[in-house]
Amino acid sequence: MEPLSFQRLAEGVRDNTLLPSLPAAVLAAQRLVNNPESSINQIASLLEADPSMTLKLLKVANSAYYGMRRRIDSIVTALIVLGLRTTNQLLQTVGIISAFSGRVEPDFLQDLTSRSVLVAMACSVIADVAGSRFNGVEYTAGLLHDMGHAAIHVIAPEHAGLLKEMGDPFTMGCEKEQALIGADHCQVGKLLAEAWGLPDIVAECMATHHRSLDGDKKLTIPGLVRFAVYLTPCLAREEPGETAHVPLPEGHFASVLSLDDILHAVKDRLDEVGEIKDLLIS
Amino acid sequence: MNGKLMIVENEAGTRLWMAELLRSNGYEIREASSFHEALRLLDREEIDMVISSVGMPDGSGIELAEVVKKRRPRTRLALMAGDDVEAHAIKGIRSGADFYLTKPFAGVDLLETVQNMAELKPEAARIDIDGARPGWYEFVITSSEDALIRLQSFLNAILKNVLDEERFWDVHFAISELGRNAVEWGNRFDIESVVKLSIGIKDNAVTIKIEDEGDGFDVRQILQTLEATPLPELEEKRMAESKRPGGMGIRIINETADRLIFNKEGNMVLMQFFAGD
Ligand SMILES: [Fe+2]
């Protein structure tokens, strides 16, 4: 198999018959929710115009996590129950799932979104624990950080197939990807970010999330994503607790935080998210 | 004992009426007829409490609140303005103002606000705005009655703007009752914990969510007991047990609200009220 050349990748991400664009409806909704001037009237009206989106938000608001006893049947009540922040996160998650569904294998998409939601949630929880506010960009960055994987699947399915044969594509690492197919998902992610016109900071996270934590003395969004990715194996485990095996470089921003606190806080969020994610993917 | 209170109001009639009423209730009063006069007075004298109009020709009460809270955080400040601008209430909270008095108000409302100011323990009455969009506000408050009373003073301006008087009182009662439930029963007055209150106003519906950090209570059981007992009987029963008529609050809200939904844990309640017909 020919190595995946930069040219093929670049053409691939630019070819809009191949790669999905972010769904316009979701983008519009997100922009509206993010704008402090948007009224609940405008937000609800826009969402109501999209029946599948309305259905998803209602499903989540009525889910066991929120545990409402009687049915919530209007978008306004769903919005109030979910809150601004969760609504925004749900819109982004729904957006990215619907962008790739039908273009990559469902099992792969499910794996990828599970991991991505995990990292995104971890980013927003860690930012909370650290007392930093990035206005939700940390969630977006966490959610999209690994979308280079999806792009490889779409642009070069045969290369993606080879990676899958050689191990777990999510944990094999950029060097092995390079050796096997001549490119890695971080590179591709960066190209994808440019093609999608994502903010620079999000593109940076897509490109640098596997780099070493050495330079991350101060809390930044790319550093946060790196840290969340680094924690993923602990997060995916059933029992958190054991933190001895997550050494941090000296002076790392998280060394002043309690890893136990972080892991427990993320676990708590994931219990809710697990169910929400299932509702969204189904 | 009652402290020195400055009234900042450019409308002479209102100012004089307020001054007279408060003086006769034992407050030492200073009057300022403009934003700048208020600043000059603040420079010259130690003022314990300020009650200021929001809209004045030479500056806003919101700006004054920012100045006062920056220079002397211990000074209590209440804003007064009409109910026509929802944004005033939100800006008021952000400015650090302690209370909001919706114009026009009666003497009793003024006295109550001033008394609330005098008794306020600000460290136990924090209000944070978690999210704000026109018609959609998310507040996080300290678990205390002070914080609830503070927040309600601002919410009143928003609610009066969309509801007629009867409906306003229904909603006001519901927030007081279930807000206090969250503070008392949910969080057991633990000021380390918070109550989250969200409000949505769309078309003619007001939707309110109140959530505490407690273990919740068995709502179904309460509602069943309540529904099985007629109100007057219930009142007697509670009195006989010398309990405060707490359960009655939910019962009344169950009748006035168009929707009342609890989550399974019983620590989150969602109410919806439609304005008029
Ligand atoms: Fe990755």
Side-chain angles (χ1 to χ4, degrees):
Chain A
M1 198 180 299
E2 288 246 322
L4 206 45
S5 68
F6 182 79
Q7 200 188 346
R8 168 145 177 222
L9 285 170
E11 278 166 12
V13 289
R14 264 179 234 123
D15 181 351
N16 43 25
T17 60
L18 265 182
L19 260 184
S21 50
L22 278 178
V26 177
L27 276 180
Q30 251 175 269
R31 214 169 292 136
L32 202 63
V33 171
N34 273 325
N35 180 357
E37 303 296 315
S38 311
S39 71
I40 193 165
N41 246 320
Q42 291 170 298
I43 296 169
S45 307
L46 187 87
L47 293 172
E48 272 159 353
D50 182 343
S52 77
M53 181 63 79
T54 303
L55 190 67
K56 279 179 173 146
L57 289 175
L58 291 178
K59 258 187 180 175
V60 175
N62 279 295
S63 73
Y65 168 66
Y66 288 96
M68 304 311 283
R69 287 182 168 272
R70 284 181 226 173
R71 273 186 65 79
I72 291 166
D73 50 14
S74 87
I75 199 78
V76 172
T77 41
L79 291 177
I80 299 294
V81 167
L82 298 172
L84 259 168
R85 184 172 167 178
T86 305
T87 301
N88 195 3
Q89 294 179 347
L90 285 177
L91 290 176
Q92 295 183 41
T93 312
V94 170
I96 199 69
I97 293 171
S98 60
F100 280 106
S101 66
R103 290 178 195 256
V104 298
E105 294 157 39
D107 284 354
F108 168 77
L109 184 60
Q110 185 140 1
D111 276 1
L112 177 63
T113 33
S114 298
R115 289 178 55 93
S116 304
V117 169
L118 183 88
V119 170
M121 271 300 155
C123 287
S124 93
V125 171
I126 298 162
D128 272 358
V129 174
S132 276
R133 283 226 159 180
F134 295 115
N135 289 322
V137 180
E138 80 285 359
Y139 185 90
T140 313
L143 185 68
L144 297 181
H145 80 279
D146 248 356
M147 287 304 142
H149 283 301
I152 295 178
H153 271 246
V154 176
I155 298 165
E158 71 283 17
H159 291 87
L162 177 66
L163 290 177
K164 204 175 150 194
E165 268 168 43
M166 302 307 287
D168 175 5
F170 295 114
T171 54
M172 73 171 43
C174 294
E175 281 119 56
K176 196 162 175 203
E177 285 175 40
Q178 284 282 356
L180 286 169
I181 63 168
D184 65 65
H185 72 281
C186 291
Q187 263 184 331
V188 183
K190 188 164 191 269
L191 291 170
L192 179 66
E194 282 159 10
W196 275 356
L198 296 173
D200 289 348
I201 194 84
V202 177
E204 191 185 330
C205 296
M206 290 165 85
T208 66
H209 62 271
H210 287 297
R211 292 209 185 140
S212 115
L213 307 183
D214 283 348
D216 295 331
K217 309 262 185 254
K218 272 204 320 211
L219 180 58
T220 62
I221 296 175
L224 185 58
V225 175
R226 271 191 286 278
F227 181 53
V229 169
Y230 179 67
L231 285 182
T232 333
C234 304
L235 294 172
R237 252 197 299 280
E238 277 305 304
E239 282 301 313
E242 299 270 316
T243 47
H245 50 266
V246 266
L248 287 172
E250 223 182 276
H252 187 268
F253 69 80
S255 45
V256 295
L257 307 171
S258 152
L259 275 176
D260 267 342
D261 283 358
I262 291 177
L263 291 174
H264 278 108
V266 177
K267 280 275 174 192
D268 283 350
R269 272 319 275 283
L270 285 175
D271 288 340
E272 4 170 331
V273 171
E275 188 187 340
I276 292 173
K277 195 190 68 222
D278 295 344
L279 285 168
L280 294 178
I281 294 175
S282 63
Chain B
M1 180 63 211
N2 273 344
K4 201 187 282 180
L5 188 148
M6 172 169 72
I7 300 167
V8 190
E9 169 62 82
N10 57 307
E11 216 187 272
T14 310
R15 192 180 65 244
L16 292 175
W17 166 74
M18 289 172 68
E20 203 167 304
L21 179 67
L22 290 169
R23 271 195 194 105
S24 67
N25 278 274
Y27 294 95
E28 190 183 344
I29 298 297
R30 294 290 178 271
E31 293 176 52
S33 61
S34 71
F35 174 77
H36 285 102
E37 200 183 335
L39 289 183
R40 280 194 296 276
L41 262 167
L42 280 169
D43 277 340
R44 275 206 309 267
E45 290 185 49
E46 291 263 303
I47 306 273
D48 302 302
M49 291 184 272
V50 179
I51 180 157
S52 171
S53 176
V54 166
M56 290 173 291
D58 66 334
S60 86
I62 289 166
E63 222 176 304
L64 185 67
E66 283 164 0
V67 174
V68 166
K69 288 292 173 179
K70 204 166 150 191
R71 278 201 208 162
R72 212 168 152 265
R74 295 180 52 84
T75 307
R76 310 274 182 272
L77 185 139
L79 295 170
M80 42 182 176
D83 55 15
D84 51 337
V85 189
E86 190 176 295
H88 274 168
I90 298 302
K91 281 185 188 154
I93 296 176
R94 290 208 166 113
S95 72
D98 299 297
F99 292 95
Y100 191 99
L101 187 55
T102 310
K103 279 181 180 176
F105 49 84
V108 59
D109 300 323
L110 174 63
L111 289 175
E112 196 186 4
T113 301
V114 172
Q115 198 177 335
N116 284 338
M117 268 203 280
E119 289 169 1
L120 181 73
K121 290 183 261 339
E123 63 285 354
R126 278 184 60 87
I127 302 176
D128 288 319
I129 301 176
D130 222 19
R133 301 285 182 274
W136 185 2
Y137 303 100
E138 300 180 336
F139 304 100
V140 181
I141 65 168
T142 317
S143 263
S144 73
E145 242 178 304
D146 271 12
L148 188 64
I149 293 171
R150 258 196 81 196
L151 179 60
Q152 280 202 278
S153 78
F154 291 94
L155 287 182
N156 287 348
I158 296 174
L159 293 171
K160 280 183 176 166
N161 189 25
V162 283
L163 299 171
D164 65 29
E165 198 173 336
E166 198 188 328
R167 222 49 190 136
F168 165 78
W169 284 108
D170 287 344
V171 177
H172 182 87
F173 175 79
I175 297 176
S176 310
E177 195 64 25
L178 295 181
R180 218 164 49 204
N181 244 358
V183 167
E184 264 179 44
W185 299 107
N187 293 340
R188 305 195 172 273
F189 291 114
D190 170 18
I191 60 163
E192 294 292 309
S193 56
V194 294
V195 172
K196 292 184 181 176
L197 191 149
S198 305
I199 181 161
I201 299 158
K202 185 179 179 279
D203 303 330
N204 60 347
V206 174
T207 312
I208 297 144
K209 180 181 82 171
I210 299 177
E211 188 180 357
D212 62 57
E213 297 185 80
D215 302 328
F217 56 98
D218 192 348
V219 187
R220 193 181 314 181
Q221 199 209 325
I222 291 180
L223 281 178
Q224 274 170 358
T225 331
L226 293 177
E227 273 162 22
T229 325
L231 262 178
E233 234 173 82
L234 182 73
E235 200 168 350
E236 250 170 57
K237 198 169 155 252
R238 305 274 315 184
M239 300 261 272
E241 291 168 1
S242 45
K243 281 182 189 159
R244 116 190 147 80
M248 274 176 52
I250 295 184
R251 172 68 187 278
I252 292 168
I253 298 162
N254 202 26
E255 276 166 27
T256 57
D258 293 284
R259 307 203 71 188
L260 178 66
I261 313 179
F262 291 89
N263 69 343
K264 285 195 201 87
E265 289 76 18
N267 67 349
M268 188 209 294
V269 57
L270 191 82
M271 316 177 255
Q272 197 161 47
F273 294 83
F274 294 113
D277 296 305

